[in-house]
Amino acid sequence: MKFGVLYDLRNPARPDWHRPWPQFYSGAFEHMQEMENVGFDAISLSEHHGDPDGYNPGLPVTLTAAALHTNSIRIGTNIVQVPFYNPVLLAEQLAVIDILSGGRLDVGLGQVGPTFDMEFPMLGVNPRFRPSLLDEGIDIMQRCWSSDSPFSYHGKRWHLDNVWINPKPLQEPLPVWVVAAFSAAAMDRVAKRGLNVGGLGGFFQGLTGGQTWRQWLDGWREACVRNGRESNYAKIHTFGTCYVTDDPERAWAKHREGIFEHFHYRRGDVHPYSSLLMDAPPTEPEDIPNWDRIFQTPDQAIAEIRAAYEDGGPEELHLMATRHGMSWAESAAYLRNFAEKVIPAVRDM
């Protein structure tokens, strides 16, 4: 089993939490270097747009910077919101990033979750087209990366002629996985294509997701069978939240307010993460599902991983890098504990 760190690069405006943007980004890339040094296998970056916290709107740019600030750790997108991009331009950018990184790029793709529908009008995209934009985007990008001659493409959303990109990615093929976290239709889309998959894990409220993960895994295996695939054909990626410390109660008391705000931030009356994870928005930090397992001792984290994944686990699990009000140095200390005290005990999973 492999482990990584996921960066959303959110920098809240609250004065006691906000850091000047140059300082914030500099700290993030130093943090990535440390994660490489302590033994994580990968780092990945997410994206969203028009967010009050500045939720990494420049994913290709920050991914390039991550590539140039590291040497051997794999880098990836977690995820690219495909409906917002011209697929040919995106294919070109990712090919160049793969080259600049020395062939270390993993590409996670998605269609933008419905809780982020507010992003579509600002970018002039119809949210009803998200499935077809993702499907056609995957088709076009994969042909861009593999075709040795110009091609044409005519679908519902894209009509393209004389398409050909140069240079091509260093990796042949470029590793691609597609999010299929919630619906059977999304799982069928990925299994039908035979691609690797991003699954439902702990996400923002825990390390593994426990029973939620097992329910997702059962659904995914059923989708594989429906689409003529072996149930274990794909590499599964997921992410969770866990900070390892010898004193979880003290750490929770220090960070509970920031974790609450990070989990449950407000855009008008919209609560994106809450609507994904809960029936109603939380009113207190202790309303967050599994709040008491966000900070764990090494033994607790080891036990949860072994219990959750005894019937099969992801190929790669990424941990959220930081939460509101948590400094890069504090995050690095918690994640260093995970790398040094947890990973060696579960590497065989």
Side-chain angles (χ1 to χ4, degrees):
M1 187 172 176
K2 296 179 180 179
F3 295 88
V5 180
L6 170 58
Y7 297 80
D8 60 17
L9 298 180
R10 287 169 56 191
N11 186 17
R14 179 171 149 169
D16 56 335
W17 291 344
H18 183 77
R19 283 159 279 183
W21 283 105
Q23 176 186 331
F24 175 80
Y25 282 126
S26 176
F29 296 125
E30 290 175 2
H31 188 278
M32 293 174 192
Q33 291 171 331
E34 182 160 3
M35 295 303 97
E36 179 177 53
N37 292 335
V38 300
F40 279 96
D41 302 290
I43 55 176
S44 60
L45 288 81
S46 57
E47 74 167 327
H48 280 294
H49 303 274
D51 189 277
D53 293 338
Y55 199 142
N56 193 24
L59 178 55
V61 177
T62 53
L63 191 61
T64 301
L68 298 179
H69 279 84
T70 56
N71 296 305
S72 59
I73 196 168
R74 293 198 66 83
I75 61 170
T77 62
N78 195 0
I79 56 175
V80 174
Q81 308 291 359
V82 175
F84 297 149
Y85 289 88
N86 177 299
V88 177
L89 295 178
L90 181 58
E92 289 180 324
Q93 292 175 26
L94 293 173
V96 172
I97 293 170
D98 190 50
I99 294 168
L100 293 175
S101 70
R104 292 186 283 134
L105 181 63
D106 296 311
V107 180
L109 304 173
Q111 65 177 11
V112 191
T115 49
F116 293 92
D117 275 358
M118 71 289 293
E119 298 181 11
F120 283 86
M122 69 171 282
L123 297 172
V125 179
N126 189 330
R128 292 180 299 173
F129 297 164
R130 57 159 57 91
S132 54
L133 285 168
L134 176 60
D135 283 337
E136 294 186 13
I138 294 170
D139 289 340
I140 293 165
M141 286 190 290
Q142 290 193 313
R143 291 190 66 180
C144 283
W145 293 325
S146 62
S147 179
D148 291 328
S149 59
F151 66 89
S152 296
Y153 183 93
H154 297 284
K156 289 182 179 180
R157 309 301 167 206
W158 292 104
H159 296 275
L160 309 170
D161 290 304
N162 200 35
V163 178
W164 188 71
I165 72 166
N166 187 38
K168 297 288 197 292
L170 203 58
Q171 299 177 89
E172 298 181 21
L174 193 60
V176 172
W177 58 271
V178 180
V179 170
F182 298 103
S183 71
M187 293 181 185
D188 286 339
R189 170 188 294 115
V190 180
K192 182 178 180 180
R193 294 172 178 272
L195 296 173
N196 294 325
V197 65
L200 181 60
F203 277 25
F204 306 95
Q205 86 280 28
L207 175 56
T208 65
Q211 185 59 35
T212 303
W213 156 261
R214 286 188 286 273
Q215 291 172 352
W216 178 87
L217 184 61
D218 289 343
W220 168 248
R221 287 171 172 170
E222 291 170 2
C224 292
V225 173
R226 282 197 303 272
N227 290 276
R229 303 283 179 186
E230 294 291 332
S231 62
N232 62 349
Y233 87 86
K235 294 181 179 179
I236 302 174
H237 294 245
T238 189
F239 72 90
T241 301
C242 181
Y243 301 102
V244 170
T245 172
D246 292 331
D247 193 344
E249 291 185 6
R250 181 179 179 184
W252 172 254
K254 181 174 184 180
H255 297 292
R256 62 189 288 277
E257 184 179 356
I259 288 172
F260 180 69
E261 291 298 326
H262 206 123
F263 179 90
H264 175 238
Y265 73 104
R266 182 181 293 271
R267 272 186 226 173
D269 293 324
V270 177
H271 306 273
Y273 299 153
S274 299
S275 61
L276 285 173
L277 305 172
M278 305 178 66
D279 294 331
T283 58
E284 298 290 338
E286 288 73 20
D287 293 335
I288 298 172
N290 298 316
W291 67 269
D292 56 342
R293 301 190 67 79
I294 292 175
F295 293 93
Q296 298 194 43
T297 66
D299 288 344
Q300 288 172 331
I302 292 167
E304 179 175 339
I305 289 171
R306 290 206 165 273
Y309 300 150
E310 61 183 353
D311 188 36
E315 171 80 11
E316 198 160 306
L317 171 64
H318 285 220
L319 304 179
M320 294 301 301
T322 189
R323 306 284 78 181
H324 287 352
M326 182 185 293
S327 70
W328 287 121
E330 289 170 327
S331 165
Y334 295 132
L335 294 174
R336 188 184 312 114
N337 285 338
F338 189 96
E340 294 175 353
K341 301 175 181 180
V342 177
I343 291 179
V346 296
R347 184 65 94 176
D348 63 314
M349 295 290 291

